Amino acid sequence: MTRAESGRPAYGEGRQALVDAAIQLVARDGMAKLTYRSLTAEAGVTQGSLRHHFPHLNAVLEAALEWCLEVSLGYKEPSGSLVDTLRHMDGMMREHPELPRFLTEVYVAARHAPELLELVKRHQEIYRERARASFVEAGLEVDEELVEIIVAMGDGMVFQRVVFGAEHEPVTERQIAGSRRLLSCILSEASVRPA
């Protein structure tokens, strides 16, 4: 029986169905609405299936954060410049508007949940690693202060897009164009700085 026939994921698809459902649910309704019951209903799976794939809700959130990274950065094999990464983030926000909304909800909720804060910190470190890799790819010494600025710049673009919605796309395009110029200046300054 297929998912279309039963309304439930086929065997082996339950884990990804739960990840997708967590992203959709949190993006739409916020973290407070994420419960075992709401998640299984959204995913179309049983609570037994949820517990089979994930020991607790934070494990689902961790898998969802990893999925967001895969989609937004292709982080497993970083390639391209920092500006290419920001442009890819813009494309992701257009194609998957639920991902930045999900991330924003999780980040805000992390203020009051130490276990979420650890997940968010690990998630942020992946962005830092990507920025560091771009310095290395450009043949430059990694500058940790600039890495922090670059990550904050990407976070700011995502946050603004979530708050202001799709009508903010032209502003995001201008931010990316400006970031191209800014990053070119930063990288050329870094390349001539004495060691």
Side-chain angles (χ1 to χ4, degrees):
M1 183 178 287
T2 67
R3 180 179 178 126
E5 293 168 347
S6 70
R8 293 184 180 228
Y11 182 78
E13 295 176 355
R15 187 177 198 286
Q16 188 60 44
L18 286 160
V19 168
D20 294 342
I23 291 168
Q24 292 296 331
L25 184 65
V26 170
R28 184 184 64 235
D29 300 330
M31 282 292 295
K33 300 292 184 178
L34 181 66
T35 64
Y36 286 103
R37 183 172 291 185
S38 66
L39 181 58
T40 56
E42 184 82 18
V45 301
T46 65
Q47 285 200 18
S49 179
L50 171 59
R51 292 182 194 280
H52 170 73
H53 292 292
F54 298 101
H56 45 74
L57 286 177
N58 280 345
V60 180
L61 290 173
E62 185 170 13
L65 287 169
E66 289 174 8
W67 176 247
C68 289
L69 283 167
E70 287 182 37
V71 172
S72 66
L73 293 181
Y75 77 100
K76 290 188 176 179
E77 293 184 35
S79 62
S81 71
L82 289 167
V83 174
D84 291 337
T85 299
L86 294 174
R87 185 164 302 288
H88 186 69
M89 282 175 48
D90 178 51
M92 176 273 298
M93 289 188 288
R94 290 173 195 249
E95 292 177 34
H96 302 282
E98 72 282 0
L99 296 185
R101 290 193 305 259
F102 166 78
L103 289 172
T104 300
E105 291 288 338
V106 173
Y107 277 37
V108 170
R111 292 178 52 225
H112 304 291
E115 66 281 358
L116 282 182
L117 187 58
E118 289 308 310
L119 291 177
V120 167
K121 285 179 179 178
R122 286 199 309 263
H123 187 261
Q124 281 285 293
E125 188 55 32
I126 299 295
Y127 288 114
R128 288 183 187 90
E129 288 173 13
R130 177 62 193 100
R132 289 179 192 114
S134 293
F135 275 91
V136 171
E137 289 169 13
L140 303 171
E141 186 175 323
V142 175
D143 183 324
E144 290 299 329
E145 292 171 350
L146 295 179
V147 165
E148 292 300 327
I149 290 169
I150 291 162
V151 171
M153 195 167 49
D155 284 345
M157 286 185 212
V158 169
F159 178 75
Q160 287 182 8
R161 187 69 153 271
V162 169
V163 171
F164 300 117
E167 66 272 3
H168 199 69
E169 285 180 15
V171 175
T172 305
E173 289 173 9
R174 290 194 304 273
Q175 290 170 334
I176 289 171
S179 70
R180 180 182 298 278
R181 292 192 308 277
L182 179 63
L183 291 172
S184 292
C185 291
I186 288 171
L187 293 175
S188 73
E189 168 74 17
S191 68
V192 296
R193 186 181 302 164

